[in-house]
Amino acid sequence: MGKKKNIGIFCIIIVVQCLVILAWGTQKERLNVDEMFTMEGAGQGGKGMQYWDRTDNFYGSEHTSQEFREYMTVYHDELLIYQGIDSVIDSLLHRNLYYTIINLAATADPGNIPWRVGVGVNLCCFVLAQMALYLIAKEICSDKGALCTVLLYGFSAGAISTVLYVRCYMMLTMLALFLIYLNLRFVRTEKRWEKGLCLVGSAVLAVLCYRLHQFGIHNGYIRGNVEIRQRIFHAAFVIRDNRKCSYLCGSAGCRRDCCKFCFLTKFRKIKGDTKCFKG
């Protein structure tokens, strides 16, 4: 098939999948408790404190559903965009990244629970993830195989649920797919400048994964290990450079230890405990 025809078919598939996802979303009856955390975090500009931690005498008292609705609603004065660029940058760098993004997106629909806004953000991530998946499948098999892959994933229960479940997982999926694609390009290209771009892009995506979710560091860890093992194999068995092979083996160990340290640091921050560093 021609390139333009493939792009046209891909666009049709994506449009139909988005319509199916939105249609299925109209059947949703209630929010999951984790989605309620997302709404709360968005209303706090990315801080993510739970209702019962901010309300005096929460336990032992009766509470109405209206109280929780009010707490999950993002009002005009809670939008970061109206608090200045300094607040936006500070939230993006130091607070929960996904909650901050939902808060910024809620500018389009203030005064409401930002579930629909969150679905919109996830839907954009879904489209980008499908683009990444198509590029990956195209690198591995063929244009027809890539279209079939996109078709199967987009209509799967997992993809639909991940879009409608307003948490960071669709965005994390998108970042992971782009990491895989950059890894494939790094291995297959012979151009030094393209390899350099792939390395820089991978580093940026790995940082975003880590900022998005504490377990996102696994993406950078897995990606780094796949890349370094490929390079070790190439040095040992293709060009037979023992010195380079030894250097890469040492590099692999450093990457593993750095990722392990980052994960334990994040874990210690969550738990408020230093026991995980002992032994």
Side-chain angles (χ1 to χ4, degrees):
M1 291 188 292
K3 186 176 181 180
K4 290 184 178 179
K5 188 175 181 180
N6 286 335
I7 294 174
I9 294 173
F10 174 81
C11 291
I12 292 172
I13 291 172
I14 295 300
V15 169
V16 174
Q17 288 174 345
C18 289
L19 291 175
V20 169
I21 291 171
L22 292 175
W24 188 254
T26 61
Q27 306 302 310
K28 184 154 181 166
E29 297 180 351
R30 59 184 181 274
L31 295 178
N32 180 275
V33 64
D34 283 358
E35 290 181 291
M36 294 173 66
F37 294 158
T38 300
M39 308 303 131
E40 293 173 350
Q44 299 164 37
K47 291 181 181 178
M49 292 179 62
Q50 275 70 56
Y51 179 70
W52 47 81
D53 294 327
R54 298 182 62 192
T55 305
D56 295 332
N57 303 320
F58 177 85
Y59 298 101
S61 303
E62 293 185 0
H63 302 275
T64 65
S65 61
Q66 185 59 34
E67 289 182 54
F68 287 93
R69 290 194 188 96
E70 286 287 328
Y71 190 64
M72 291 188 292
T73 300
V74 179
Y75 293 100
H76 188 276
D77 59 340
E78 295 172 325
L79 295 171
L80 290 168
I81 200 72
Y82 298 119
Q83 297 176 20
I85 190 65
D86 293 342
S87 297
V88 174
I89 294 174
D90 181 69
S91 296
L92 289 171
L93 293 178
H94 301 110
R95 298 179 185 175
N96 186 292
L97 182 60
Y98 187 73
Y99 296 168
T100 302
I101 292 172
I102 298 298
N103 180 284
L104 294 172
T107 306
D109 187 30
N112 292 297
I113 296 174
W115 179 80
R116 291 175 296 180
V117 171
V119 170
V121 171
N122 284 353
L123 200 62
C124 292
C125 293
F126 167 78
V127 173
L128 293 173
Q130 286 287 68
M131 292 171 61
L133 185 61
Y134 176 82
L135 293 172
I136 292 168
K138 189 177 177 181
E139 287 279 338
I140 296 173
C141 49
S142 62
D143 291 339
K144 186 179 289 187
L147 289 173
C148 289
T149 303
V150 168
L151 189 69
L152 288 172
Y153 173 69
F155 285 116
S156 68
I160 295 172
S161 298
T162 308
V163 173
L164 298 176
Y165 186 60
V166 184
R167 296 291 283 173
C168 65
Y169 305 119
M170 191 70 249
M171 191 174 290
L172 203 58
T173 299
M174 174 196 70
L175 295 175
L177 286 170
F178 275 111
L179 271 171
I180 294 170
Y181 173 69
L182 288 179
N183 182 66
L184 283 173
R185 291 303 308 153
F186 178 85
V187 171
R188 298 195 173 196
T189 185
E190 298 296 332
K191 300 175 182 177
R192 288 181 175 271
W193 66 267
E194 192 171 348
K195 284 183 178 290
L197 285 177
C198 289
L199 287 174
V200 172
S202 297
V204 172
L205 289 173
V207 170
L208 287 175
C209 286
Y210 178 68
R211 285 285 296 115
L212 192 63
H213 196 287
Q214 62 266 26
F215 298 117
I217 191 63
H218 293 329
N219 285 336
Y221 178 70
I222 294 170
R223 192 266 175 205
N225 273 278
V226 170
E227 173 199 324
I228 205 72
R229 278 164 173 72
Q230 289 168 336
R231 295 174 69 183
I232 290 171
F233 180 84
H234 184 266
F237 299 103
V238 180
I239 62 176
R240 298 183 182 278
D241 188 337
N242 293 331
R243 183 176 180 181
K244 185 175 182 180
C245 184
S246 300
Y247 168 77
L248 290 172
C249 287
S251 177
C254 290
R255 286 188 182 209
R256 179 199 63 205
D257 293 338
C258 286
C259 288
K260 186 177 179 181
F261 176 77
C262 289
F263 177 76
L264 289 177
T265 302
K266 189 72 174 182
F267 185 77
R268 183 181 66 171
K269 183 179 179 181
I270 296 169
K271 291 294 185 182
D273 191 1
T274 58
K275 292 181 180 179
C276 58
F277 280 88
K278 295 181 179 180

